[in-house]
Amino acid sequence: FPVSLAADPAVISPQDPTLLIGSSLVATCTVSPDFPLKAEDLYWTLNGRRLPAASYAALGPSTLSVALARLNGSRQQSGDNLVCHSRDGGILAGSCLYVGLPPEKPVNITCWSKNMKDLTCKWAPGTEGETFLHTNYTLKYKLRWYGRDNTCQEYHTAGPYSCHIPKDLALFTPYEIWVEASNRLGVAVSDVVMLDILDVVTTDPPSDVHVSRVGDLEDQLSVRWSSPPALKDFLFQAKYQIQYRVEDSSEWKVVDDVGNQTSCRLAGLRPGTVYFVQVRCNPFGIYGSKKAGIWSDWSNPTAASTPRSERGAGGCDPKGGEQNTTLRRELKQFFGWVKKHAYGCSNLGIKLYDQWRVWLQKSHKTRNQVGKEP
């Protein structure tokens, strides 16, 4: 049988060592007395590359050492392969070298609670250590003034550096939360974060988002939605944001000042155009919490189109262009007044605007009909 298939033909020492970057190492390969091999019959490889004979030394008739200086970080987290071979290439023994740095303390711990039913936290690792050695992360938490340390169990739920605590959380009592990083060269502990579940609540996105036309008004769409159902039994305030974009564009426009209403009118849109609309929610002031709240994800996009413009479709009225110019000027003046006196999605301003516009259109229609009479 080839030597490589025999049981324990040789032993490498040290076996699977862990070393700091820049360290030096002398490893030995000692052949079992049952095998007729001498030190001069051996050679070494590191990750498949043959090491120079100048780094070898015979320490006995059947022991060959190799000296490795200023080691770089391991190329793979499973360790670098240091292997002792017989002259014919057979593998006699192997060892893994773990070369790296101790872990650095995790930073930037942020947490959020979905509908006050759970807690998810994420963090950022240190910059260097994890590049070379596998690092384990453990999220720990406890009630601030009493209680024992608890360990989070569900990792990678919101990315590679995250953990999810699904239940059994207390309200109105702050938690201490921290992350421990450990690898073969040591342990590092993050700063402790203090938080109250009520201060980090987020919700599901608003549901039942409906977008519809506003009669024949070609530059407007109406948006309606429902408040988060999971929080209906809790005392809280909410503010909403809307973003919308044209069908063939990737650029979203954001409406910031919706406040706590569950409807809004989008104005100044292009006629005959498909728009995609999304809404998100920020619950704040839950049971008197003073924190700003955390925005939910955006709702799934809802699409609707504005009516096509009838202007510019052709016609025989020589005064049509002049009337359109007058109408645009009057609208611009009125819209300036609306913007000055109404804020964001004020229903009062928009209703007044609608009524004024309908009246204006009717008055133009009446004028045109009177002008066409013989």
Side-chain angles (χ1 to χ4, degrees), residues 41 43 52 79 110 116 167 243 287 317 322 340 361:
D41 299 323
Y43 70 91
T110 56
M116 290 193 285
K167 56 183 179 179
Q243 67 174 9
Y287 290 128
D317 186 351
E322 182 187 315
K340 191 173 178 183
Q361 287 169 343

Side-chain angles (χ1 to χ4, degrees), residues 65-357:
S65 71
V66 63
L68 302 170
R70 295 183 299 281
L71 289 164
N72 294 320
S74 295
R75 293 187 187 178
Q76 51 214 16
Q77 290 192 342
S78 57
D80 290 339
N81 297 314
L82 181 65
V83 178
C84 175
H85 299 262
S86 58
R87 186 180 305 200
D88 62 2
I91 295 173
L92 300 175
S95 177
C96 285
L97 304 186
Y98 298 95
V99 185
L101 298 168
E104 296 180 34
K105 76 177 190 177
V107 294
N108 299 338
I109 300 174
T110 56
C111 303
W112 61 95
S113 173
K114 188 64 106 36
N115 302 321
M116 290 193 285
K117 293 177 180 173
D118 63 1
L119 189 68
T120 301
C121 297
K122 63 180 181 180
W123 58 90
T127 52
E128 292 293 336
E130 196 175 357
T131 311
F132 308 108
L133 299 178
H134 174 69
T135 303
N136 283 315
Y137 291 93
T138 306
L139 181 91
K140 295 193 172 180
Y141 62 100
K142 71 169 188 171
L143 290 167
R144 183 178 181 185
W145 293 295
Y146 52 89
R148 54 186 177 79
D149 291 4
N150 297 284
T151 301
C152 185
Q153 302 295 328
E154 298 180 12
Y155 291 88
H156 314 298
T157 51
Y161 306 108
S162 66
C163 197
H164 175 240
I165 305 165
K167 56 183 179 179
D168 299 331
L169 291 161
L171 302 178
F172 307 106
T173 306
Y175 278 93
E176 293 181 2
I177 295 173
W178 67 98
V179 177
E180 296 178 0
S182 62
N183 67 16
R184 290 169 170 269
L185 285 170
V187 176
V189 182
S190 73
D191 295 337
V192 174
V193 170
M194 210 90 66
L195 65 83
D196 191 313
I197 302 296
L198 299 179
D199 294 337
V200 293
V201 178
T202 185
T203 70
D204 297 310
S207 56
D208 304 324
V209 177
H210 296 284
V211 184
S212 56
R213 294 180 177 184
V214 183
D216 293 329
L217 298 181
E218 63 216 16
D219 66 342
Q220 295 190 24
L221 288 171
S222 173
V223 188
R224 291 181 294 106
W225 60 90
S226 300
S227 60
L231 291 183
K232 68 178 182 351
D233 296 329
F234 295 99
L235 184 64
F236 79 105
Q237 296 169 280
K239 54 187 175 183
Y240 297 94
Q241 265 185 351
I242 296 174
Q243 67 174 9
Y244 64 96
R245 65 176 173 85
V246 176
E247 182 180 25
D248 55 2
S249 168
S250 59
E251 187 179 335
W252 294 92
K253 290 186 177 177
V254 176
V255 181
D256 254 329
D257 50 1
V258 182
N260 64 355
Q261 302 177 92
T262 54
S263 65
C264 183
R265 187 78 60 83
L266 303 178
L269 307 178
R270 296 199 321 228
T273 303
V274 175
Y275 283 88
F276 288 101
V277 180
Q278 293 178 292
V279 187
R280 66 177 181 171
C281 174
N282 182 334
F284 66 98
I286 296 178
Y287 290 128
S289 166
K290 298 290 189 286
K291 293 295 173 72
I294 298 173
W295 287 105
S296 72
D297 293 333
W298 290 102
S299 64
N300 290 326
T302 304
S305 64
T306 50
R308 290 195 175 281
S309 172
E310 292 179 10
R311 290 180 295 184
C316 298
D317 186 351
K319 294 184 180 177
E322 182 187 315
Q323 287 171 354
N324 280 343
T325 305
T326 306
L327 180 62
R328 275 199 297 273
R329 187 173 67 247
E330 289 171 347
L331 281 173
K332 192 173 179 184
Q333 289 169 350
F334 183 82
F335 199 61
W337 184 90
V338 169
K339 280 180 80 173
K340 191 173 178 183
H341 293 86
Y343 300 98
C345 295
S346 166
N347 286 334
L348 176 65
I350 294 297
K351 277 181 183 168
L352 200 60
Y353 172 57
D354 291 350
Q355 290 164 7
W356 184 83
R357 187 165 175 171

Side-chain angles (χ1 to χ4, degrees), residues 18-39:
T18 301
L19 304 154
L20 276 169
I21 289 175
S23 298
S24 297
L25 173 72
V26 174
T28 60
C29 176
T30 303
V31 180
S32 167
D34 299 337
F35 290 84
L37 292 171
K38 302 297 179 192

